[in-house]
């Protein structure tokens, strides 16, 4: 019972004050708890900065993997709770991910009471905004923190958010977020590494055309526009399913949004938003990672609580490579149809194109295909850091500009490798699963940012994997 009442995010450091848990929230902790057990949660929350993964290659993945709620939907939806003074309940939350815990910490710093339960439900209550500031230390840990800017400005009229700066996969500026908010009447100053934003008399509806499709840019402006006066039209908007999942939550909260899922989103501002209950969509990138895992290891997996509709850009090249994919209700069944996988080309593009977040994993699969395949990255300028590590395991890859030419080899060999970013790390795990011998992956804190219980999930389907 003690475990059931535990707030999984209680350890999120509070900078300003203790969480202010309402009666409703306290009552909800006593509901029937299913999902992660106490030990699993403890393991998942354990500081893992120095941990390594040791994987013995050669296992064939067979069985079921439950897919977690999507990190890249949950993060934005958590920020959306800043738009109302009422509690918002979120289900299917990937509560143990490090990025989610970092954001919970930031929201707590701002004044939000945050509660996460073992049944993957979270209750966030932004009764008041106490400190509309996102400090460098937290933004540095997780770039997604920039998503508090739009909601804080819309609700509070003032926000200070540290500039995220570049990261391993590229420079990743946030100028579209800033220009879009300026178009809505915000006054923005960049000072001492911070974006300092204010509004006089609130944000006003505007039309903003993104110079280039931006996933979080679209989300930040869409959230800000919900409380602006008048109509906002976002053109050349991102069409990712996570944008639609966020729009669904905002609509539940009383927002008036149409056109999400297309490149033009229209938001009619409303006076205020209210509490709601909303389910986070399944993680399409985690799903894709294990689909490729089944193909690579010649295994067969049932991926539970997933959505194949979000992965059409992956299905075509996977089938071309020789993989069988079938939807069965909310599950996806994946297995390999032939002896050998066959090389094919992919090019990343904004949704509905091939996701940049699956590029590294797909590239790993190509290393063992018959023939060759070309991978072209068009979203981020520095997203081939997995390539030298894969080459150390015996892969044959040549980089030319923003393309990687992958020539299939007979086998990969276990080695000591270094994880460099989240998806690059996932690609190394996949490589290790099929490599001959043992692979040790260093710096796996990247994986803990975006994959829940990776050791448990892969271990359950036959992988020989341990955290050391
Ligand atoms: C989101 O990043 C995801 N992050 C990324 O997931 C994902 O790789 C990316 O979208 C593309 O799908 C979250 O959802 C938290 P963008 P985001 O703005 O929104 C340029 C993962 O592994 N740009 O769509 O930051 C930018 O440099 C991660 O989970 C500007 O020039 O990406 C890039 O070249 C990594 N100015 C392109 O646009 C801006 O103001 C697309 O970036 C904004 C973006």
């Amino acid at each position: 019972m003690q475990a059931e009442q535990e707030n999984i995010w209680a350890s999120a450091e509070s900078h300003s004050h203790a969480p202010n848990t309402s009666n409703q929230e306290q009552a909800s902790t006593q509901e029937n708890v299913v999902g992660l057990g106490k030990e699993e949660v403890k393991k998942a929350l354990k500081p893992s900065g120095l941990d390594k993964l040791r994987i013995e290659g050669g296992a064939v993945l067979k069985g079921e993997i439950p897919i977690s709620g999507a990190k890249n939907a949950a993060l934005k939806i958590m920020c959306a709770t800043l738009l109302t003074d009422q509690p918002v309940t979120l289900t299917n939350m990937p509560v143990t991910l490090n990025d989610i815990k970092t954001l919970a910490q930031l929201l707590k710093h701002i004044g939000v009471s945050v509660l996460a339960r073992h049944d993957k439900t979270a209750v966030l209550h932004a009764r008041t905004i106490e400190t509309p500031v996102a400090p460098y230390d937290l933004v540095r840990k997780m770039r997604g923190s920039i998503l508090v800017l739009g909601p804080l400005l819309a609700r509070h009229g003032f926000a200070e958010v540290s500039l995220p700066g570049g990261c391993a996969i590229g420079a990743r500026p946030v100028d579209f977020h800033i220009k879009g908010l300026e178009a809505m009447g915000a006054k923005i100053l960049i000072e001492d590494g911070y974006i300092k934003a204010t509004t006089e008399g609130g944000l006003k509806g505007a039309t903003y055309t993104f110079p280039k499709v931006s996933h979080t840019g679209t989300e930040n402006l869409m959230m800000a526009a919900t409380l602006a006066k008048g109509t906002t039209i976002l053109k050349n908007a991102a069409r990712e399913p996570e944008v639609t999942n966020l729009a669904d939550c905002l609509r539940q909260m009383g927002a008036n949004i149409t056109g999400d899922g297309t490149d033009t989103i229209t938001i009619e501002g409303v006076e205020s938003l209210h509490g709601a209950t909303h389910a986070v969509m399944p993680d399409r990138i985690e799903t894709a990672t294990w689909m490729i895992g089944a193909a690579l290891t010649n295994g067969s997996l049932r991926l539970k609580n997933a959505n194949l509709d979000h992965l059409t850009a992956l299905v075509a090249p996977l089938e071309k490579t020789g993989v069988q994919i079938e939807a069965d209700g909310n599950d996806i069944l994946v297995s390999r149809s032939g002896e050998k996988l066959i090389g094919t080309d992919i090019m990343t593009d904004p949704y509905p194109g091939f996701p940049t977040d699956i590029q590294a994993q797909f590239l790993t699969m190509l290393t063992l295909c018959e023939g060759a395949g070309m991978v072209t990255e068009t979203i981020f300028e520095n997203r081939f850091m997995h390539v030298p590590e894969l080459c150390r395991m015996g892969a044959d890859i040549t980089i030319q500009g923003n393309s990687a030419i992958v020539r299939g080899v007979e086998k990969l060999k276990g080695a000591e490798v270094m994880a460099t970013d989240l998806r690059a790390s996932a690609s190394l795990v996949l490589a290790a699963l099929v490599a001959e011998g043992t692979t040790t992956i260093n710096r796996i804190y990247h994986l803990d940012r975006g994959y829940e219980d990776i050791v448990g999930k892969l271990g359950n389907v036959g992988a020989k994997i341990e955290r050391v």
Side-chain angles (χ1 to χ4, degrees):
M1 197 58 189
Q2 188 59 36
E4 293 174 1
Q5 290 176 13
E6 217 170 82
N7 176 4
I8 309 181
W9 292 341
S11 60
E13 216 175 280
S14 176
H15 291 261
S16 56
H17 67 108
N20 194 359
T21 311
S22 71
N23 288 342
Q24 182 192 333
E25 291 160 16
Q26 274 166 359
S28 63
T29 62
Q30 286 157 26
E31 284 163 15
N32 188 27
V33 173
V34 292
L36 293 182
K38 191 181 179 186
E39 283 311 309
E40 282 169 287
V41 169
K42 255 196 198 153
K43 238 192 275 167
L45 292 180
K46 182 176 159 280
S48 52
L50 299 174
D51 284 4
K52 301 172 183 198
L53 275 187
R54 189 183 296 141
I55 299 173
E56 189 67 41
V60 175
L61 300 188
K62 279 206 170 125
E64 294 184 355
I65 301 185
I67 297 301
S68 293
K71 165 182 85 78
N72 285 349
L75 289 173
K76 303 38 175 313
I77 293 167
M78 288 169 75
C79 294
T81 67
L82 287 167
L83 289 161
T84 175
D85 61 6
Q86 295 179 17
V88 177
T89 302
L90 304 175
T91 60
N92 199 34
M93 277 286 290
V95 289
T96 61
L97 290 181
N98 279 350
D99 273 8
I100 296 291
K101 287 189 286 163
T102 302
L103 183 62
Q105 196 179 337
L106 171 59
L107 292 176
K108 216 162 161 180
H109 168 79
I110 290 171
V112 183
S113 83
V114 297
L115 176 95
R117 299 202 316 258
H118 298 161
D119 66 350
K120 299 168 186 259
T121 302
V123 183
L124 291 95
H125 190 180
R127 192 181 280 112
T128 54
I129 305 293
E130 295 187 0
T131 318
V133 179
Y136 173 69
D137 257 3
L138 293 174
V139 180
R140 173 181 62 84
K141 271 195 204 162
M142 210 267 300
R143 291 181 52 85
S145 307
I146 186 74
L147 284 147
V148 299
L149 179 63
L152 280 179
L153 202 52
R155 162 119 176 250
H156 193 69
F158 172 71
E160 260 188 47
V161 177
S162 170
L163 274 169
C167 75
I169 61 174
R172 301 183 76 187
V174 289
D175 50 329
F176 308 158
H177 302 237
I178 293 172
K179 297 236 169 64
L181 290 170
E182 281 175 341
M184 294 164 75
K187 298 265 173 299
I188 300 185
L189 207 74
I190 309 290
E191 210 174 53
D192 309 324
Y194 276 76
I195 304 166
K196 298 183 177 174
T198 52
T199 63
E200 268 166 36
L203 292 170
K204 292 169 193 69
T207 296
Y208 180 74
T209 305
F210 286 93
K212 187 175 175 186
V213 177
S214 168
H215 183 164
T216 49
T218 300
E219 292 164 330
N220 225 346
L221 297 191
M222 183 169 79
M223 288 191 278
T226 58
L227 294 179
K229 286 192 188 76
T231 308
T232 300
I233 302 175
L234 301 178
K235 293 188 174 172
N236 197 25
R239 291 182 277 169
E240 267 77 2
E242 290 81 6
V243 176
T244 299
N245 198 227
L246 170 64
D248 283 340
C249 179
L250 291 166
R251 277 188 286 265
Q252 296 277 350
M253 294 165 69
N256 187 348
I257 303 172
T258 51
D260 48 290
T262 75
D263 64 1
T264 305
I265 304 178
T266 304
I267 307 111
E268 298 285 347
V270 294
E271 268 301 305
S272 62
L273 297 182
H274 50 71
T277 297
H278 174 75
V280 173
M281 61 176 267
D283 196 314
R284 65 191 167 103
I285 309 301
E286 186 198 9
T287 309
T289 305
W290 305 146
M291 283 167 81
I292 293 170
L296 254 179
T297 62
N298 206 0
S300 66
L301 289 176
R302 175 180 284 270
L303 304 173
K304 306 237 4 126
N305 187 27
N307 189 341
L308 196 55
D309 293 344
H310 295 161
L311 286 162
T312 40
L314 172 69
V315 169
L318 262 190
E319 284 180 339
K320 235 171 151 182
T321 313
V323 182
Q324 270 178 333
I325 303 157
E326 203 187 310
D328 180 19
N330 288 337
D331 297 350
I332 299 174
L333 309 176
V334 204
S335 57
R336 200 199 272 186
S337 44
E339 235 331 273
K340 262 288 202 186
L341 294 167
I342 297 152
T344 189
D345 300 342
I346 54 151
M347 182 168 83
T348 64
D349 225 1
Y351 193 86
F354 192 96
T356 173
D357 290 347
I358 312 176
Q359 179 258 102
Q361 301 89 314
F362 198 91
L363 189 151
T364 292
M365 188 181 66
L366 291 178
T367 62
L368 291 172
C369 279
E370 207 163 72
M374 184 158 82
V375 174
T376 304
E377 171 62 51
T378 71
I379 311 286
F380 295 113
E381 61 273 29
N382 190 24
R383 216 174 191 185
F384 281 132
M385 284 163 305
H386 39 291
V387 167
E389 299 303 295
L390 290 171
C391 289
R392 295 183 60 245
M393 296 175 73
D396 180 351
I397 308 166
T398 311
I399 296 188
Q400 272 173 14
N402 64 341
S403 293
I405 295 128
V406 190
R407 294 182 183 83
V409 292
E410 267 309 305
K411 61 181 178 204
L412 296 178
K413 278 199 173 152
E416 181 140 358
V417 291
M418 181 84 80
T420 46
D421 75 80
L422 173 54
R423 309 304 170 187
S425 312
S427 79
L428 295 178
V429 170
L430 292 175
L433 288 171
V434 273
E436 196 178 82
T438 305
T439 299
T440 306
I441 306 178
N442 293 288
R443 291 207 191 157
I444 56 157
Y445 56 85
H446 291 293
L447 278 170
D448 295 329
R449 290 183 39 220
Y451 288 86
E452 277 197 312
D453 188 25
I454 194 159
V455 171
K457 285 188 184 188
L458 286 177
N460 283 343
V461 293
K464 292 187 192 109
I465 176 169
E466 60 176 344
R467 201 181 267 266
V468 290

